[in-house]
Amino acid sequence: MTGFLGTKATFAQDVSFVGSIVVAIAMTIGAYLAVRGYYTAHRWVQTGAAAANLMLVFGVMIPSLLSVTPDENLNLPTAAFVAMPAHEVVGTVAMLFGVYVVLVGNGWLPVRWRFTNYKPFMRLAFALYLVATIVGVVVYWLIHT
Ligand code: HEM
């Protein structure tokens, strides 16, 4: 099914592209809420954003990666062979670390696995999500336009 952005991407890939940008914007708003001291709102926004990211990764990105055929790879620009693995590595680390931060922030892990210095952990999670999203946008642009 063709996408709605007018590129070579499928509908699901366009949903993943737009959805990831929305998630990154939501996380930025969520970080701003923390800066302003609205921690409950911050927790809700970041938990929702991390959950939405998980759905995009498992619902679209991984199935899309697994469906690539060798001949499709032959026609990609060289930069895609740097951007794609970079996105896969940074994206995986960001997702796992982000889920860990969400589990700790909501008190869903045993006390011995929790951290109490929220700021550095959360700043790192936020930075990783942003880098993964930016590299993901580059991947979309390289392989679908
Ligand atoms: C879901 C449970 C979460 C809770 C309960 C929570 C709670 C907090 C608290 C209490 C702070 C203030 C820390 C301090 O001033 O020492 C904070 C800061 C921060 N959080 Fe979270 N957080 C959660 C999830 C996340 C996630 C998943 C991210 C990243 C996407 C994130 C990004 C940030 C950032 C960037 C700051 C630093 C803001 C600043 O520079 O002042 N948080 N959070």
Side-chain angles (χ1 to χ4, degrees):
M1 194 170 148
T2 50
F4 50 86
L5 294 177
T7 64
K8 285 181 264 168
T10 62
F11 183 82
Q13 287 161 344
D14 279 354
V15 168
S16 151
F17 176 76
V18 174
S20 296
I21 292 170
V22 170
V23 164
I25 292 171
M27 281 178 177
T28 307
I29 294 170
Y32 176 72
L33 290 170
V35 173
R36 295 295 304 269
Y38 300 114
Y39 296 125
T40 305
H42 168 71
R43 176 161 59 87
W44 278 101
V45 171
Q46 305 303 53
T47 301
N53 171 256
L54 270 181
M55 287 192 263
L56 294 173
V57 170
F58 285 97
V60 183
M61 296 184 206
I62 293 175
S64 166
L65 178 68
L66 295 178
S67 73
V68 178
T69 55
D71 52 308
E72 273 180 290
N73 268 338
L74 287 176
N75 299 317
L76 296 179
T78 313
F81 294 97
V82 177
M84 285 193 297
H87 177 68
E88 285 152 21
V89 172
V90 180
T92 303
V93 173
M95 183 190 73
L96 294 175
F97 189 67
V99 168
Y100 171 64
V101 167
V102 165
L103 292 176
V104 172
N106 284 292
W108 292 334
L109 282 183
V111 175
R112 66 179 182 284
W113 291 341
R114 293 185 203 167
F115 51 82
T116 48
N117 47 340
Y118 278 19
K119 221 177 224 180
F121 275 84
M122 293 189 176
R123 283 184 176 176
L124 179 60
F126 181 47
L128 286 167
Y129 272 121
L130 287 190
V131 173
T133 308
I134 291 165
V135 182
V137 168
V138 172
V139 167
Y140 180 96
W141 179 70
L142 285 171
I143 70 181
H144 298 308
T145 62

